[in-house]
Amino acid sequence: MTDLILALSSQDLDKKHEAEERLVAIGEDAVLPLIEVLIDEDADARWYAGRVLARIGAPAIRPLILTMIVEQDTQFRRYAAAALGSMGETAVEPLIEAFSSEDRELRGFIALALCRIGEPARGPLKRLAGEGGEVQRSCARLTLWKMGEEGINDLVSSLDAGKAT
């Protein structure tokens, strides 16, 4: 697998694409080595590693979020959030759980991932905006706001529902 990981830094585009396909096929066993690439490598290799992690999907969600909690590097967090955001609905609940972190920067990257996911995240965010703890409610509301018109409509309706109870 080391050769495949190294190929993500290759100048040969065909080698990169072949490595990407083979790493996706390896699946969960490739997750931790790919996360290491997100931490240590150049932007191009990080981008490819993020694409592979996004395609691996569910097995990569928790390891990515846990590494985002302990790894303070902003560039790593940016690539990890992009990978998580590309996973779609399957990443929504674990991302929302990460809003409980005390780390403001982490919560910001979690919000970016949820914004990238878009519509599938709106319902859970709307619920959290009305019934979570203070920090979680605030994060959910800000994330809905960042989602644009549809998110703002959900935000307003969650606030209206809170006033009615």
Side-chain angles (χ1 to χ4, degrees):
M1 186 169 8
T2 303
D3 291 344
L4 297 174
I5 296 293
L6 290 173
L8 296 177
S9 298
S10 172
Q11 297 300 314
D12 184 334
L13 197 55
D14 291 333
K15 281 185 182 179
K16 285 182 182 185
H17 287 194
E18 180 184 342
E20 183 178 2
E21 294 304 318
R22 291 180 59 198
L23 287 164
V24 168
I26 291 170
E28 187 171 1
D29 289 340
V31 169
L32 294 180
L34 288 164
I35 289 174
E36 287 297 320
V37 173
L38 288 185
I39 293 170
D40 295 330
E41 295 295 327
D42 63 57
D44 196 42
R46 283 177 164 178
W47 188 81
Y48 276 94
R51 280 176 36 129
V52 174
L53 287 164
R55 290 179 60 198
I56 290 172
I61 294 170
R62 296 239 182 253
L64 271 171
I65 292 172
L66 290 172
T67 307
M68 288 176 77
I69 291 168
V70 298
E71 181 62 46
Q72 302 294 311
D73 179 65
T74 301
Q75 291 302 319
F76 163 76
R77 286 178 165 184
R78 181 173 289 121
Y79 284 97
L84 288 161
S86 295
M87 291 180 195
E89 188 171 1
T90 190
V92 171
E93 289 303 325
L95 285 167
I96 286 177
E97 289 172 19
F99 271 150
S100 63
S101 170
E102 296 294 322
D103 185 336
R104 289 176 143 183
E105 182 181 85
L106 173 63
R107 293 191 312 254
F109 283 111
I110 297 300
L112 289 174
L114 289 164
C115 285
R116 185 172 187 160
I117 292 169
E119 196 280 324
R122 286 183 23 229
L125 284 168
K126 182 179 174 182
R127 280 189 299 282
L128 185 63
E131 59 192 47
E134 184 178 339
V135 170
Q136 292 84 4
R137 281 194 320 269
S138 177
C139 289
R141 290 171 181 170
L142 289 170
T143 304
L144 286 168
W145 179 265
K146 286 182 171 187
M147 287 182 161
E149 186 174 346
E150 293 85 8
I152 292 170
N153 289 338
D154 288 338
L155 172 60
V156 170
S157 80
S158 77
L159 294 173
D160 288 344
K163 289 179 185 174
T165 57

